[in-house]
Amino acid sequence: MRASAYPLVAAEEAAALVLDRTPVLPSERVHLIDAAGRVLAADLHAPAALPAHPASAVDGYAVRAADGGKTLRVLGESAAGRPFDGSIQPGTAARLLTGGVVPDGADTVVMVEEVVEAGETVTVPADLRPGVNFHRPGADVKRGELVLKAGSELGAAELGLAAALGWAELEVHRRPRIALMSTGDELVEVGTEPRRGQITDSNRWALLAALREAGAEVELLGIAPDEAAPLRSLVESALERADVLVTSGGVSVGTHDLVKPLLESLGTVHVGRVKLKPGKPFTFATLSHGRLAFGLPGFPVSSLVTFEVFVRPALRKMQGQTQLQRPTLPVRLAYDAQASGDRTEYQRVTLHREGKELVAEATGSQSSSRLMSLVGAHALVRVPSGGQGFKAGTVLEALILSLP
Ligand code: AMP
Ligand code: MG
């Protein structure tokens, strides 16, 4: 095997280095229709109270609590969207429907089930409590209150709240634009019968899904051959539009591995090899104008594991997220785990619960070509390098992909 010019960097060190050089993208205003999953760029304070008016929680009557036990004259009706504009004086009431504004002068609401209605009068129970059966102005949100913090991801509740407060557009971080390319003379388009020695380009589709799940907009560049000139022109034209270049293949030390020299010529390669299994040839470079390039290894599992460890956190940082890593949890091994040599190994496991614990079962052969080791996997167990390995029963940290 030929030697590589690149030093072997610890996986944690490489991950920190990538994040250090990853910019947070500027913000843009987007309508709520496009805002789900985006990250707020600035704190938001409520411009008004919610509810804005005292709003009835029930069908009933707006009255003065001091009128308990009396027969009151009904002045009118306040329904949702159709308020009664008069005010409640001693001896009077207004009919209320749920959501209706409680008129001025009333200090409580009595439920329709508790009154006796007769023509234009209503008899209310004795001992009425003031201040019940309606929502006070500002009970949900006070005017000026900090409701959404910069860095919050906009989900259903956040978007509902924004709409309730009258914001049709929000200032959010831009999504990163990614140019995604597969490299290799052996690759054919999915659906085309591979001839002897050829394989179907599967990384493109795996990485497209992973990139989109991480919030990126993706331009597909297809397959580049293992030839310097076409590879370069494809990359150069894509970089006019992209924030990030993601390639797979072409980063090991064979003579056909052209991605590293290309990135060297376009910018600065900061990581060329990592103490990580799978994913040793992972490559990271910075290019002009704050753009990034990730050269992921070709083996399908290597490309997805290095995506998880290096690319996904960077994309989250670009979008203004503050929690960059997937959650990690301690899991108890149901098998003997051994990392290879001096490399941290991310082993693919399924999880099941035993009492309060999560127990990890390996997904079979951990070969870096075997996508079946990731299919249905719940987690990547981080197996530290060195020593005698870890016997079944040992507790290790795992990167959680989904919980059983
Ligand atoms: P490389 O890093 O280019 O040496 O690629 C290593 C191996 O990964 C190749 O021999 C292929 O078996 C596999 N490979 C590379 N690119 C892809 C791809 N786009 N889809 C599926 N497998 C790939
Ligand atoms: Mg190749």
Side-chain angles (χ1 to χ4, degrees), residues 182-183 186-187 199-203 248-252 257 297-300:
S182 304
T183 72
E186 75 278 31
L187 301 177
I199 60 167
T200 302
D201 174 10
S202 65
N203 288 350
S248 71
V251 283
S252 43
D257 294 320
F299 283 111

Side-chain angles (χ1 to χ4, degrees), residues 333-347:
L333 298 178
Y335 66 101
D336 295 342
Q338 171 83 61
S340 125
D342 63 349
R343 295 196 277 161
T344 303
E345 188 161 337
Y346 280 77
Q347 296 186 346

Side-chain angles (χ1 to χ4, degrees), residues 31-55:
H31 190 273
L32 296 183
I33 202 163
D34 292 317
R38 305 294 286 270
V39 180
L40 268 186
D43 287 349
L44 288 176
H45 296 262
L50 282 183
H53 310 284

Side-chain angles (χ1 to χ4, degrees), residues 166-188:
W167 291 308
E169 293 185 342
L170 295 171
E171 193 73 26
V172 297
H173 290 281
R174 197 157 69 63
R175 289 188 185 282
R177 287 190 285 267
I178 315 292
L180 175 63
M181 187 175 74
S182 304
T183 72
D185 286 338
E186 75 278 31
L187 301 177
V188 295

Side-chain angles (χ1 to χ4, degrees), residues 11-12 274-280 301 305 309 333 335-349 362 364-368 373 379-386 389-390 396-399:
E12 301 69 31
V274 281
K275 292 182 194 164
L276 177 67
K277 186 179 178 184
K280 185 174 170 186
V301 179
V305 168
V309 176
L333 298 178
Y335 66 101
D336 295 342
Q338 171 83 61
S340 125
D342 63 349
R343 295 196 277 161
T344 303
E345 188 161 337
Y346 280 77
Q347 296 186 346
R348 285 77 72 199
V349 297
S365 157
Q366 299 287 304
S367 162
S368 59
S373 72
L380 305 175
V381 175
R382 199 181 285 143
V383 183
S385 60
F390 301 90
L396 292 178
E397 281 296 302
L399 212 60

Side-chain angles (χ1 to χ4, degrees), residues 52-382:
H53 310 284
S56 185
V58 298
D59 292 337
Y61 286 85
V63 302
R64 299 163 77 102
D67 280 345
K70 295 183 186 163
T71 296
L72 310 172
R73 190 157 55 84
V74 179
L75 303 177
E77 181 181 275
S78 186
R82 280 178 284 123
F84 170 70
D85 286 329
S87 91
I88 305 303
Q89 306 300 325
T92 66
R95 196 174 301 113
L96 279 176
L97 298 171
T98 302
V101 175
V102 178
D104 289 346
D107 61 5
T108 197
V109 173
V110 48
M111 289 165 74
V112 70
E113 293 85 340
E114 294 175 356
V115 305
V116 179
E117 295 168 305
E120 287 311 296
T121 67
V122 63
T123 306
V124 297
D127 58 31
L128 290 179
R129 267 201 306 139
V132 297
N133 294 329
F134 68 95
H135 303 290
R136 285 184 175 65
D140 296 346
V141 172
K142 288 183 188 52
R143 190 179 159 186
E145 183 180 340
L146 173 60
V147 280
L148 293 171
K149 288 197 185 120
S152 0
E153 180 173 328
L154 298 170
E158 290 77 11
L159 293 173
L161 181 64
L165 289 167
W167 291 308
E169 293 185 342
L170 295 171
E171 193 73 26
V172 297
H173 290 281
R174 197 157 69 63
R175 289 188 185 282
R177 287 190 285 267
I178 315 292
L180 175 63
M181 187 175 74
S182 304
T183 72
D185 286 338
E186 75 278 31
L187 301 177
V188 295
E189 285 286 340
V190 66
T192 304
E193 189 67 33
R195 293 195 309 273
R196 186 173 154 77
Q198 294 184 318
I199 60 167
T200 302
D201 174 10
S202 65
N203 288 350
R204 187 193 324 175
W205 308 107
L207 290 170
L208 173 64
L211 286 161
R212 285 193 175 153
E213 191 273 340
E217 288 170 6
V218 185
E219 180 185 353
L220 294 175
L221 303 183
I223 301 166
D226 289 322
E227 276 173 65
L231 187 70
R232 166 177 282 273
S233 64
L234 197 58
V235 164
E236 279 180 343
S237 73
L239 280 174
E240 287 166 20
R241 302 174 295 276
D243 303 302
V244 180
L245 171 70
V246 174
T247 63
S248 71
V251 283
S252 43
V253 285
T255 40
H256 295 294
D257 294 320
L258 302 167
V259 172
K260 279 180 175 129
L262 173 65
L263 296 179
E264 292 276 16
S265 74
L266 292 170
T268 310
V269 174
H270 303 281
V271 178
R273 288 194 307 161
V274 281
K275 292 182 194 164
L276 177 67
K277 186 179 178 184
K280 185 174 170 186
F282 168 78
T283 298
F284 169 69
T286 49
L287 313 176
S288 56
H289 309 296
R291 290 167 306 171
L292 308 178
F294 294 93
L296 307 185
F299 283 111
V301 179
S302 311
S303 67
L304 285 177
V305 168
T306 51
F307 179 89
E308 279 302 326
V309 176
F310 303 112
V311 185
R312 194 172 185 279
L315 298 180
R316 288 178 67 81
K317 181 176 178 189
M318 292 181 114
Q319 292 167 85
Q321 297 274 12
T322 44
Q323 176 57 47
L324 305 181
Q325 317 297 339
R326 283 195 189 269
T328 62
L329 286 174
V331 300
R332 191 173 291 284
L333 298 178
Y335 66 101
D336 295 342
Q338 171 83 61
S340 125
D342 63 349
R343 295 196 277 161
T344 303
E345 188 161 337
Y346 280 77
Q347 296 186 346
R348 285 77 72 199
V349 297
T350 56
L351 299 174
H352 65 272
R353 291 173 197 271
E354 282 181 19
K356 288 187 173 146
E357 285 191 328
L358 289 167
V359 176
E361 203 84 58
T363 53
S365 157
Q366 299 287 304
S367 162
S368 59
S369 62
R370 187 172 169 266
L371 271 176
M372 285 298 284
S373 72
L374 263 173
V375 170
H378 293 118
L380 305 175
V381 175
R382 199 181 285 143

